Amino acid sequence: MKSNYKEDGMIIIDDFLPLDVANKLEQLYTSEKKWDIVNQVREKHYSHVFEMDSSMFPQKDEVYLAKFRRSDFLENSVSKVFEEFFQPKLNELANSNLLEFDVRCYKLDIGDFYRTHIDDYAGTIGSTFYLNKKWCWDWGGILHIGIKDDSLTSIFPKFNRIVIHDMKKFRFPHFISPVTDYAKCSRYTIVSFNK
């Protein structure tokens, strides 16, 4: 696993948490009622922070946009689980003891999305953990990662799956497609940026 991470800059681990722990987290998410809506509009980000050389991704004159929901309460609630299960794996893959863990609890509802962006400014290693027990490919909310100029890897938001990526060595441009109006539930993730 470690060699795949070093070579590819990314790994996907299914059944990451013990099932009872993953189930408790999913219950926390589905019962949470207070989500702050975040609408990001960054007019100059594609000319510096998210600048990309490829014509297949947004150009310098385009505006970065994202719409999602975030819960401060959940971010405090998941901290012990994150320390016990996530941090050791992230430290192992980073080959060091990371000092900072920025943990975020997100929800995507109908119409929520992230335009193409790069997270290399936010840390050295990142993770996305999925908590949806049910999802369909055509509901949207799919993570798409640019591997080469003209190809993407699409990652399904499968329950108890974690995606870990090297944010310094590999500048993966990525985006999340909009959640459709026929999606039967919200898309839930724990995202972390770690240094």
Side-chain angles (χ1 to χ4, degrees), residues 43-70:
E43 293 191 19
K44 306 276 187 204
H45 269 37
Y46 290 120
S47 64
H48 57 96
V49 179
F50 301 151
E51 186 175 4
M52 295 166 243
D53 295 330
S54 171
S55 63
M56 305 287 180
F57 291 109
Q59 300 303 297
K60 293 179 181 185
D61 62 341
E62 294 187 59
V63 176
Y64 171 75
L65 302 166
K67 182 181 174 217
F68 55 94
R69 288 120 213 287
R70 187 173 177 179

Side-chain angles (χ1 to χ4, degrees), residues 32-96:
E32 176 60 22
K33 302 292 182 217
K34 189 177 182 313
W35 293 90
D36 296 320
I37 297 174
V38 180
N39 276 303
Q40 292 182 341
V41 178
R42 308 283 190 263
E43 293 191 19
K44 306 276 187 204
H45 269 37
Y46 290 120
S47 64
H48 57 96
V49 179
F50 301 151
E51 186 175 4
M52 295 166 243
D53 295 330
S54 171
S55 63
M56 305 287 180
F57 291 109
Q59 300 303 297
K60 293 179 181 185
D61 62 341
E62 294 187 59
V63 176
Y64 171 75
L65 302 166
K67 182 181 174 217
F68 55 94
R69 288 120 213 287
R70 187 173 177 179
S71 170
D72 292 334
F73 171 76
L74 285 177
E75 289 169 12
N76 291 322
S77 300
V78 304
S79 61
K80 286 188 180 177
V81 171
F82 192 86
E83 286 173 20
E84 182 177 352
F85 295 101
F86 291 73
Q87 283 182 213
K89 180 55 74 180
L90 295 167
N91 282 329
E92 174 192 337
L93 291 170
N95 229 7
S96 69

Side-chain angles (χ1 to χ4, degrees), residues 4 24 80-81 115 139 144 170 175-176 193:
N4 287 351
K24 284 179 187 171
K80 286 188 180 177
V81 171
R115 278 205 77 185
W139 289 0
H144 300 280
F170 297 85
F175 63 95
I176 298 171
F193 303 101

Side-chain angles (χ1 to χ4, degrees), residues 101-113:
F101 297 91
D102 180 2
V103 180
R104 301 174 184 192
C105 294
Y106 291 150
K107 174 172 94 160
L108 296 183
D109 279 337
I110 292 169
D112 291 351
F113 67 94

Side-chain angles (χ1 to χ4, degrees), residues 1-11 147 164-166 169-170 172:
M1 185 179 347
K2 213 170 182 180
S3 64
N4 287 351
Y5 176 76
K6 284 188 177 188
E7 189 175 311
D8 300 334
M10 175 180 65
I11 59 167
I147 302 300
I164 302 173
H165 49 99
D166 182 334
K169 186 176 174 188
F170 297 85
F172 291 126

Side-chain angles (χ1 to χ4, degrees), residues 10 20 28 33 55 81 88 106 117-118 130 138 164 167 173:
M10 175 180 65
D20 63 320
L28 269 175
K33 302 292 182 217
S55 63
V81 171
Y106 291 150
H117 61 284
I118 300 170
Y130 298 104
D138 72 344
I164 302 173
M167 299 190 311

